[in-house]
Amino acid sequence: MSTPPDLRISQEAADAAEVDVLVVGTRPGTSEEDSDDAVETVSAAPPVLVGSDGLDAAFGGELAALLALAGAAGAAEEVVKLPTRGAITAPLLLAVGLGPDPDARAADGTAGAPDLAEQVRRASGAAARALGKTATRVGSTLGALDLTAAVEGTVLGSYAFTDYRSAADDPVRTVTFFGAAGGSGGAGERENATLADAAMTARAVCAARDLINTPPNDLYPAEFARRARDMGETVGLEVEVLDESALAEGGYGGILGVGGGSSRPPRLVRLRHTHPDATRTVALVGKGITFDTGGISIKPAANMDHMTSDMSGAACVVATVCLAAEQNLPVNVTATVPMAENMPSGTAYRPGDVLTMYGGKTVEVLNTDAEGRLILGDAIVRACEDSPDYLVETSTLTGAQVVALGSRTAGIMGSDEFRDRVTAAAVGAGEGGWAMPLPEELRGDLDSRIADIANVTGHRFGGMLVAGLFLREFVADGVPWAHIDIAGPAFNTGGPHGYTPKGGTGLPVRTLAAVLADIAGKG
C-alpha cells in the first residue's frame, strides 16, 4: 500500500505554519432575500468557515467571499483550491465542504444525515484524495472539530494500493493538525494519545484493504494464512494454522467441501489476543473465500473479478484482532478464520452432496455458490467451543444484502439485544448498518429432504435473512451473537468518495473495534 502520512499536532497558528497547503472546512451559508419595488431575488450566501477562528482576518475579512468567487458553497465533500497570494504562509488553501450543520438537519427531520464526526471524516478523506501527489507538507484545521475523525479520514483518504504499479509515485507526506491541544501537559497528552489511537485504527483498516486488494493468484488460502500468521506474530498474538490434513483429521467438512475443487487447499487460522485484566471473551469469525467462481454452480462471467473481495470478512477480522493487541485492549479476543478457494473441477463438491460439518451437523448442498455459510458454519462451531461471552461474524455473504440495503449499508442480524448493540457501534463508528430480523417462518424453507439442513431455499425471497438463519444453526445456545453481511460495503466498484477508495474498503474494521472497546469498557 502507499506509505501512510506522518501525523502531528501543533499549537502554532495555522496562518503562520510552514506547510504547502492548508485544509479548512466550510458549511453552506444562509441565503438572503434581496428585494426592491420591481423584483425579488434570492442570492446565495458565501460559505461559512468552520473551525478556523482568526484565519479570515489574514484575508482582510474577505476569505469567505473569495471562496465563493472560486465556486465554494460548503456542500459535503466539495473541494475548492485558492491561491493565498501571501495572505498566510501556506501558498495554497484547500477548502473542503462539510455539508449542512448536523444539528440543524436533525432538527428538521432529515433522515440519515451524517453526524459531525462522520462529516469531518469524509471531508478529511476528500481533501486527502484531492491533494494527490502535489503536496508533501499539509496542514489541517479539521482536527479542531473532531481530532479522531480528522486523523482517520486523512489516513484512509490518503490510501492507495500501489503494490502492482510499475512506477508508483508515493510522496512522504506530513499532516499537521492545528487547533487541537497537543504538546505537553494533561490536555496535550490526551490529544496526542487520541491521534495515536486513531492512526492505529486507520492503519488497521488499510491493512485489511491491502489483503482485499491483493489479486487471488497471489492471495490463495496458504498464502493468506501465512500473511495472517505474520501479522499476528508481529503484534504478539498466539497463532494456530490448520492445513488440509489437520482439517480432515478434525472433521471440518464445510471447509474441506468448499475447498476441494481447488489445487490450492484450504486453511483455518486462529489468532488469540489475551489480556490479564480481561473479564470478557469475544469470538470473531470472518469469511475467507480467496476467490469465488461459484464452483459447479458457476457464476456469470460479468463482474466475476469482484470475487477477489470474497475474503473481506476474514481480512477485517484478522486486522481487528491485531488492532486489539496493538491497543492492548482489556478484552480477550479469538479470531477463527476459515480460508478456501471455491473452484469447479473433477474434485469439486456438487449440488446434491451432503457435507458433515464440524460438530456433526449435516448439510445438503443445493447450490455450490452458497459456499460462505458452509465454511462459516465450521468456524462458528469451533469458535463456540471456547465458550465466548459474545460472537461476531462478518462476511460478504449474499447478493440479497445489496438488493435490500444497497452497496453502502451492511445488514446486521443475530440475537436481538446484541445485534442492536453492534448496529449502534456501526453507526457510531461512521460505517453504518441496519438491524435486520431473522423471521422464524423462513427457517422451514431450509429443511432438507435427506440432511439436517439445506444450504439454500428453493426460492429467492429473503435471501439475506435466510443466510442468517442458516448461520444461527451453528451458534451455541446462550451465546449472544451478531452476523454482519457486508456483500456490498466491503468492495467499492464505483468511484471513490469521502475516505473510501475504489476496491477494498476495510469495512467493518472500525465497527468491530468499536464493539470490542464497548465490551472492554462495559462487559
Side-chain angles (χ1 to χ4, degrees):
M1 72 174 188
S2 55
T3 305
D6 179 29
L7 306 172
R8 305 174 184 176
I9 298 175
S10 175
Q11 293 176 299
E12 183 182 7
D15 60 348
E18 293 288 342
V19 294
D20 303 316
V21 59
L22 181 64
V23 176
V24 299
T26 60
R27 291 199 187 283
T30 303
S31 298
E32 298 178 354
E33 291 187 3
D34 301 320
S35 62
D36 55 32
D37 293 338
V39 66
E40 199 173 277
T41 62
V42 178
S43 60
V48 177
L49 289 166
V50 184
S52 305
D53 294 342
L55 191 61
D56 187 49
F59 289 82
E62 297 296 323
L63 180 54
L66 289 170
L67 288 171
L69 284 174
E77 301 181 35
E78 164 197 88
V79 173
V80 172
K81 297 178 182 179
L82 183 72
T84 65
R85 299 178 63 84
I88 61 175
T89 305
L92 184 67
L93 188 79
L94 189 152
V96 60
L98 294 158
D101 187 309
D103 292 335
R105 296 196 75 181
D108 70 14
T110 304
D115 61 13
L116 176 62
E118 183 62 7
Q119 286 186 332
V120 171
R121 201 177 285 115
R122 293 178 185 179
S124 297
R129 289 191 293 106
L131 290 171
K133 304 169 184 176
T134 60
T136 56
R137 297 178 304 166
V138 178
S140 174
T141 64
L142 295 175
L145 301 174
D146 189 308
L147 182 59
T148 295
V151 170
E152 290 180 349
T154 298
V155 174
L156 297 176
S158 300
Y159 173 87
F161 185 68
T162 58
D163 290 11
Y164 291 82
R165 300 288 186 187
S166 56
D169 184 11
D170 185 20
V172 177
R173 180 175 294 164
T174 299
V175 181
T176 303
F177 296 96
F178 301 102
S184 59
E189 290 175 2
R190 286 194 299 272
E191 296 290 353
N192 289 326
T194 296
L195 181 145
D197 189 64
M200 207 178 293
T201 300
R203 287 195 298 268
V205 175
C206 292
R209 289 176 177 179
D210 277 352
L211 290 169
I212 297 164
N213 289 325
T214 300
N217 58 314
D218 285 343
L219 194 79
Y220 44 91
E223 174 62 14
F224 192 4
R226 185 195 68 78
R227 295 192 190 195
R229 178 188 287 278
D230 287 349
M231 291 172 64
E233 290 180 344
T234 297
V235 294
L237 299 178
E238 299 175 38
V239 183
E240 176 188 17
V241 178
L242 302 185
D243 62 14
E244 66 272 28
S245 297
L247 290 170
E249 184 176 348
Y252 290 87
I255 300 172
L256 290 167
V258 172
S262 175
S263 61
R264 304 191 286 193
R267 295 287 186 269
L268 179 71
V269 178
R270 302 250 299 160
L271 306 103
R272 182 177 295 106
H273 160 69
T274 57
H275 192 283
D277 298 329
T279 60
R280 294 290 184 271
T281 296
V282 181
L284 300 180
V285 178
K287 173 186 170 185
I289 298 294
T290 59
F291 192 77
D292 183 20
T293 67
I296 297 297
S297 308
I298 198 163
K299 294 177 179 290
N303 299 323
M304 195 192 288
D305 59 295
H306 297 168
M307 290 301 99
T308 184
S309 68
D310 213 18
M311 35 61 67
S312 296
C316 291
V317 162
V318 170
T320 301
V321 69
C322 290
L323 174 62
E326 283 189 285
Q327 295 177 324
N328 197 28
L329 207 60
V331 60
N332 295 330
V333 185
T334 300
T336 303
V337 189
M339 302 170 177
E341 187 176 54
N342 188 21
M343 300 287 285
S345 74
T347 59
Y349 75 136
R350 297 156 290 255
D353 283 357
V354 173
L355 304 180
T356 301
M357 307 286 283
Y358 184 78
K361 190 180 295 289
T362 58
V363 177
E364 181 184 13
V365 177
L366 299 181
N367 188 319
T368 65
D369 194 24
E371 84 299 328
R373 63 198 69 183
L374 297 174
I375 69 169
L376 290 170
D378 277 357
I380 288 171
V381 173
R382 176 61 189 91
C384 287
E385 287 183 342
D386 298 330
S387 301
D389 296 296
Y390 303 96
L391 184 147
V392 186
E393 172 275 323
T394 186
S395 50
T396 49
L397 203 60
T398 66
Q401 178 272 315
V402 186
V403 174
L405 296 175
S407 61
R408 297 191 189 181
T409 303
I412 304 177
M413 290 146 272
S415 47
D416 291 353
E417 183 178 348
F418 188 55
R419 173 204 62 197
D420 292 345
R421 188 173 176 182
V422 171
T423 302
V427 173
E431 290 188 321
W434 200 258
M436 302 296 291
L438 292 175
E440 290 299 331
E441 68 271 15
L442 293 177
R443 170 58 186 86
D445 297 340
L446 286 170
D447 288 344
S448 166
R449 178 176 58 87
I450 55 175
D452 293 329
I453 191 172
N455 74 327
V456 295
T457 67
H459 58 73
R460 62 185 179 87
F461 305 110
M464 174 173 57
L465 313 182
V466 168
L469 287 166
F470 181 93
L471 295 179
R472 189 181 67 179
E473 295 288 313
F474 298 89
V475 179
D477 291 342
V479 175
W481 70 287
H483 155 56
I484 310 174
D485 193 333
I486 54 171
F491 196 74
N492 178 24
T493 60
H497 54 88
Y499 51 87
T500 303
K502 291 194 70 170
T505 66
L507 186 149
V509 169
R510 290 186 292 119
T511 294
L512 297 175
V515 170
L516 294 180
D518 183 45
I519 292 171
K522 298 180 182 177

